[in-house]
Each structure stands twice: as structure tokens, then as C-alpha cells.
Amino acid sequence: GQQVMQIPQYQHVQEGEDFTTYCNSSTTLSNIQWYKQRPGGHPVFLIQLVKSGEVKKQKRLTFQFGEAKKNSSLHITATQTTDVGTYFCAKAAGNKLTFGGGTRVLVKP
Amino acid sequence: ETGVTQTPRHLVMGMTNKKSLKCEQHLGHNAMYWYKQSAKKPLELMFVYNFKEQTENNSVPSRFSPECPNSSHLFLHLHTLQPEDSALYLCASSQGLGQINEKLFFGSGTQLSVL
């Protein structure tokens, strides 16, 4: 089936800096979900985007859905050590979720 | 705690063994899932159950056999596994209403090693 591609695969960030991770699809998405998995943990739901051009914020995290609904981004400002983990986007069709490969974020103190 | 409990947390088995993974959710959800997570591949959907009925089998080998006796419990029976089946097996649940805004609640997973 169609997948979602995430870039970069790895992100090394200096504490305090900003970074963005991207999720791209070749087909139009009905919605996109984002999850975070801490090292040794399990994926935890962060947010869902449904509308074209939608922007949602959670403290230092900003999620955006592209106008064409084919891509999404997660921007983190002032990165902290608590941001360490792997961030996954997932496309939904009914109650079936297909995950991207994830962006693994490492924070340098 | 996410309301989804998986046991055991860790499992080591030989290729000739038979074992079962258990998942229980206390969220009143109607859909349950098995995902496989290995180092080399992204989260792979294995099976989906909706109201106890299997609605998705993502071309999973028959050495993995799911069972869903009710909406709260999900099992994954394992037999004659291969070393490449070593991975983190994650159970998840969702409301199961077939809506596009369903989010998944994951358990902590079972880390499986096949020797």
C-alpha cells in the first residue's frame, strides 16, 4: 500500500535549538496523526490533523498539514532533553493506521 | 498507563517453541491491533480486529495466529518462529467506530527474541 515517508531519519539537535521533521505522501491524505515514542517506550498519540493547511500547537511543538494534504511537518522550538525520542507520522484510513519510518531525535546538552 | 496491558514484557523462545502474547485493554474500545516493530522496518500492521472480527491480515505468515475472544482481549499465538521474527510486538486499541479520527492507544509491548 501507499506509505508515508519521513525525513530526516535521524536528527541531532543542540539543546535550545529548533528543528523540523517532515512527513510526505504521494497521495492525498484524509488526515495525518503524529506519535512520539521515547527510548524503550511505546508510541503515544500527540495530535491529529484533518483540514488542509491546518496548524496546531502543543507548547513548543507546532504541527502543520499541507495545503494539498500530501505532507505534514512537526516543528519543535527550543529543544529540550525531554524531546528525545522517535516521532512518527501515520496516515489513517478508517481505523487502519500506516506509520512512516519515524525521525529519531537525539539532543546534545 | 495507557489502559492497554501486554504480557509478558520480555520473551525468549526457541524456534520449536509455542508461546502466546496477551493484550488486554480497559478503555472500552472495540478495535484491537497487533503491530510489529523491528530495528530495520517501521511499525508494521499485522492484524486488526473490530468487534471481535478480524478485518485486516497484512500478509502475515501463518506461524503468527491471532485470537480475539472478546473486545477487551487479544492474543498472538506463536509457533515455529524464525530468528528474524525477533522484534517488539505492540498491541493497540481504538474506539473501533471506523471514523477517520480514531487514535491508537498502545501497550508497552513484548520484546521477543527468537533463538
Side-chain angles (χ1 to χ4, degrees):
Chain A
Q2 295 294 326
Q3 298 181 353
V4 285
M5 304 300 294
Q6 286 190 253
I7 52 171
Q9 190 175 358
Y10 296 94
Q11 180 79 55
H12 294 256
V13 189
Q14 188 72 46
E15 189 174 11
E17 291 185 342
D18 302 352
F19 77 91
T20 303
T21 178
Y22 300 90
C23 178
N24 299 311
S25 171
S26 57
T27 58
T28 302
L29 303 168
S30 57
N31 63 84
I32 195 87
Q33 295 184 11
W34 285 89
Y35 290 75
K36 177 184 179 181
Q37 184 174 19
R38 294 182 185 274
H42 56 273
V44 176
F45 175 83
L46 293 177
I47 206 124
Q48 176 170 260
L49 304 170
V50 179
K51 300 177 182 178
S52 169
E54 187 172 16
V55 178
K56 288 187 177 180
K57 292 189 176 183
Q58 288 182 351
K59 298 183 179 179
R60 295 178 294 101
L61 278 60
T62 301
F63 302 84
Q64 186 166 4
F65 205 4
E67 293 289 343
K69 299 183 72 173
K70 287 187 175 182
N71 54 70
S72 180
S73 64
L74 161 58
H75 181 79
I76 300 182
T77 58
T79 304
Q80 300 177 0
T81 55
T82 53
D83 296 323
V84 165
T86 302
Y87 293 82
F88 294 96
C89 66
K91 67 167 192 172
N95 63 351
K96 177 184 173 182
L97 269 183
T98 302
F99 285 80
T103 294
R104 184 176 175 186
V105 175
L106 303 170
V107 179
K108 296 178 284 186
Chain B
E1 292 296 328
T2 63
V4 181
T5 304
Q6 286 188 247
T7 55
R9 291 294 304 273
H10 302 273
L11 178 63
V12 179
M13 60 186 289
M15 289 189 286
T16 59
N17 291 157
K18 290 184 180 181
K19 296 288 184 182
S20 295
L21 310 184
K22 178 182 177 182
C23 177
E24 182 175 1
Q25 58 95 2
H26 308 275
L27 301 169
H29 289 165
N30 296 303
M32 296 189 76
Y33 311 74
W34 281 116
Y35 278 86
K36 176 184 178 182
Q37 186 175 38
S38 58
K40 298 182 179 180
K41 293 185 178 181
L43 278 160
E44 297 176 84
L45 178 64
M46 301 176 71
F47 301 103
V48 181
Y49 278 82
N50 210 346
F51 291 90
K52 303 188 299 178
E53 298 297 320
Q54 188 179 122
T55 57
E56 184 78 24
N57 178 337
N58 202 23
S59 302
V60 180
S62 59
R63 57 186 183 270
F64 295 91
S65 175
E67 178 189 1
C68 188
N70 54 60
S71 294
S72 298
H73 294 85
L74 185 65
F75 297 89
L76 188 62
H77 304 299
L78 316 171
H79 63 97
T80 59
L81 294 191
Q82 305 298 312
E84 58 265 29
D85 296 322
S86 298
L88 179 67
Y89 288 84
L90 289 159
C91 173
S93 71
S94 71
Q95 283 188 311
L97 301 177
Q99 301 174 8
I100 64 169
N101 59 347
E102 292 197 22
K103 59 184 181 183
L104 296 187
F105 293 79
F106 283 89
S108 299
T110 294
Q111 186 65 54
L112 173 68
S113 297
V114 181
L115 305 179

